[in-house]
Amino acid sequence: MNKTWSVEEHLDDILRSVRPLEPIELQLLDAQGCVLVEDITVPASLPPFDNSSMDGYAVRVSDVEGASEEFPAVLAVIGDVAAGSGELPTVAPGQAARIMTGAPMPPGAEAVVPVEWTDGGTGKGPADSMPARSAAPEAAGGEVRVHRAVAAGAHVREQGSDVRAGTVALTAGTVLEAPQVGLLAAIGRGTVRVRPRPRVVVLSTGSELVEPGGELGPGQIFDSNSYVLTAAARSAGALAYRVGAVADDADTLRAAIEDQLIRADIVVTSGGVSVGAYDVVKEALSRVDEAGGSVEFRRLAMQPGKPQGFGLIGPDRTPLLALPGNPVSSYVSFELFVRPAVRALMGVTPVRRPAVAAQLAARDALTSPEGKRQFLRGRYTPPQEGEELGTVRPVGGAGSHLITALAQADALIDIPERTCDIGPGEEVSVIPLV
Ligand code: AMP
Ligand code: MG
C-alpha cells in the first residue's frame, strides 16, 4: 500500500517543483498585480517644473505686500497661463499673469494668489471663481485687485517636490497595484519588467458533464468545476483558460492536455482521480510521457480532497495538478494547492492564505474524522469591538457535493488530523477566503 500524504507534504512537494516565471517586459496595465523585478529610478523630477496649485494670479511678492480688501494691490494683467502653456509671459514689477492649476509658473512670478483673494479682474468685490475669459474680457490687458498678501512659493508646487530625478521610487519585489501603476505612468514609463501572470489551463473531465446554458439529458449534470476553478485561478492572479469538459476517454484527454501545453504554465484538471472504472485522468497521466514527465496519484489524509495527482509533464515540465471531481473537493483542493502554486509562479508572498484563530459559534459543535485534516465550510465574523477572536459558524455539512453551502461560505474551518470533537466556543483555525 502506498503511503498516505499529509496536506503539508503534498503542498511542499508541489512548491519544491515550482519556480517563479521568467520576467518579461509588459505594458503598464498588463503588469497590474504582478511583481516588479527591477528597481525603478525616476528619470526626471516630478513635478517637472514649478507650477500653480490653484487657479489665481502669478505675482511678485513685493507687489502684494500689505494688500487687504480695503487697500488692494492693483496689478496689470499681462496674460493667461493655462496648464500645458509653452510660451510664458514674464511678470515684471506691478504685473500679474492669470494662472490655472497645474500651469507652469511664468518667469518673474514668485507666488500665486488664489482667485478667491482677488476681484478676479472684474473690478468688483472678491471673486469666488476664475471668470471665464468671455466674462472678463478685460482680464488680459486689464487689472486685478489683490486683497491679500502671499509669501514666496505660496500655492506653488515646486519642481521635484513629489520626487527628484535619480530617486529609486519603487523597488524590485513590489506588487504593482493601482497607485504604483499610476506612479510609473507619471514618470513616463510605458512598460515595466515584471514576473508575468501564470497561464492556468483548466480542464474538467466527465462524460456526464453538460455546458451551462445547455439542456440536461438523463443522468447528466452541468459542468461547474471548470467555472469554479477558472474563476478561482483569476482571483489568485492568474490568466486562466477554461477548456471545459472532456469526456471520460484516456486518449481524448491526453490529446486535449497535450494541445494545451503550449499555452500553459500550469494545468489543472478536475475529476477522474479516484478508483472508479472511468477514472481516466489517472489512466491517461500515470504513464510516463514521451518527454519523461509523469503525474503521481496519491491519497491524502484530508477531507474533502483525498485523491490528488501532481506531476510535471511535457517538454517544459509543466506542473499539472489533478484535483478530485466532487465540487467542494475540487475547490478546496484549488485553495490549498493550486493557489499557492500560482502565487509561487508569480513570485508573490505569502503563497498561502493566512489563517486566523476564531471561536466556534456558541451553538455549534463539530465532529471530524480521526487521522484526517478536515476543511469545513464556514462563515467568519471578524472580532467585534472588545473581542479578541472572531467567530466562525459552519455552513452546510461535510458532504463534498454541497455546492450551495460552499457558495454561502466565506472561510474554511481547518481541523487538524488528530482533533475529533470541537465544542461550542472552542478555538479553531479559520482560513478566510476573501
Ligand atoms: P469523479 O472524481 O470524476 O468521479 O467525480 C466525482 C463527482 O463529482 C461525480 O459526482 C461527478 O459527477 C462530479 N463532478 C465531476 N466533475 C464535475 C464538474 N466539472 N462539475 C460538477 N460536478 C462534477
Ligand atoms: Mg468523473
Side-chain angles (χ1 to χ4, degrees):
M1 198 68 194
N2 292 331
K3 81 163 199 162
T4 300
W5 292 58
S6 73
V7 168
E8 297 304 321
E9 286 171 327
H10 183 60
L11 178 57
D12 285 348
D13 185 44
I14 293 165
L15 293 177
R16 256 197 308 276
S17 322
V18 172
R19 296 272 161 277
L21 296 173
E22 281 306 310
I24 56 172
E25 189 88 14
L26 285 181
Q27 300 284 329
L28 287 193
L29 287 178
D30 294 334
Q32 183 181 353
C34 295
V35 177
L36 193 62
V37 296
E38 54 173 338
D39 287 343
I40 301 292
T41 304
V42 177
S45 292
L46 262 190
F49 46 84
D50 290 355
N51 69 90
S52 178
S53 70
M54 303 285 279
D55 293 331
Y57 291 84
V59 299
R60 304 171 77 97
V61 169
S62 57
D63 283 345
V64 295
E65 214 180 291
S68 66
E69 226 164 285
E70 205 181 343
F71 301 106
V74 182
L75 302 174
V77 179
I78 56 165
D80 262 11
V81 191
S85 287
E87 271 178 42
L88 303 174
T90 298
V91 177
Q95 296 182 335
R98 278 209 330 171
I99 192 164
M100 314 306 149
T101 305
M105 285 295 282
E110 298 153 329
V112 171
V113 184
V115 65
E116 295 86 346
W117 298 1
T118 73
D119 67 349
T122 59
K124 301 182 191 126
D128 51 12
S129 68
M130 184 67 83
R133 229 159 183 271
S134 55
E138 69 278 33
E143 50 190 31
V144 63
R145 280 172 175 68
V146 173
H147 301 148
R148 271 164 83 166
V150 284
H155 310 113
V156 177
R157 304 162 174 157
E158 208 184 314
Q159 177 186 28
S161 56
D162 185 347
V163 66
R164 293 202 178 280
T167 309
V168 174
L170 295 171
T171 52
T174 303
V175 178
L176 300 178
E177 301 299 353
Q180 292 76 37
V181 169
L183 173 57
L184 290 165
I187 63 171
R189 290 288 295 248
T191 63
V192 73
R193 253 180 108 65
V194 293
R195 292 196 192 283
R197 293 173 181 279
R199 297 160 302 165
V200 176
V201 169
V202 176
L203 297 99
S204 51
T205 67
S207 297
E208 74 278 30
L209 301 176
V210 172
E211 184 65 13
E215 287 283 329
L216 290 183
Q220 294 184 321
I221 57 169
F222 292 117
D223 170 17
S224 57
N225 289 354
S226 69
Y227 282 88
V228 174
L229 298 173
T230 305
R234 284 196 191 153
S235 296
L239 291 174
Y241 302 116
R242 194 187 68 88
V243 174
V246 180
D248 287 325
D249 173 76
D251 291 334
T252 311
L253 178 62
R254 208 178 301 116
I257 292 174
E258 273 167 20
D259 275 355
Q260 294 297 326
L261 284 179
I262 184 81
R263 63 168 177 174
D265 294 311
I266 183 163
V267 177
V268 178
T269 66
S270 94
V273 292
S274 37
V275 291
Y278 298 93
D279 283 329
V280 288
V281 174
K282 229 167 159 176
E283 191 187 331
L285 299 175
S286 294
R287 278 186 263 147
V288 174
D289 66 26
E290 279 169 17
S294 71
V295 176
E296 191 181 310
F297 291 87
R298 340 181 139 141
R299 198 176 54 221
L300 264 62
M302 169 183 175
Q303 189 191 62
K306 182 171 87 170
Q308 299 281 342
F310 170 66
L312 303 174
I313 60 163
D316 298 329
R317 287 289 180 277
T318 307
L320 180 143
L321 279 84
L323 312 182
N326 276 306
V328 178
S329 316
S330 174
Y331 173 68
V332 169
S333 303
F334 182 97
E335 284 296 332
L336 292 178
F337 306 122
V338 185
R339 192 173 193 276
V342 166
R343 291 176 61 86
L345 286 167
M346 295 180 79
V348 291
T349 52
V351 296
R352 303 166 189 232
R353 285 194 189 270
V356 295
Q359 260 185 325
L360 194 61
R363 269 163 309 172
D364 294 304
L366 292 176
T367 57
S368 174
E370 162 86 51
K372 283 191 179 172
R373 185 145 162 209
Q374 199 180 27
F375 293 91
L376 289 170
R377 277 64 66 203
R379 282 195 74 84
Y380 171 65
T381 310
Q384 307 296 297
E385 181 94 24
E387 286 177 357
E388 203 176 304
L389 296 180
T391 51
V392 70
R393 165 168 292 277
V395 185
S400 51
H401 63 293
L402 301 173
I403 302 175
T404 308
L406 178 63
Q408 290 161 348
D410 61 9
L412 295 175
I413 306 173
D414 177 357
I415 305 172
E417 289 182 19
R418 258 171 297 193
T419 305
C420 297
D421 296 289
I422 300 176
E426 280 187 45
E427 192 173 317
V428 285
S429 175
V430 168
I431 307 169
L433 297 171
V434 284

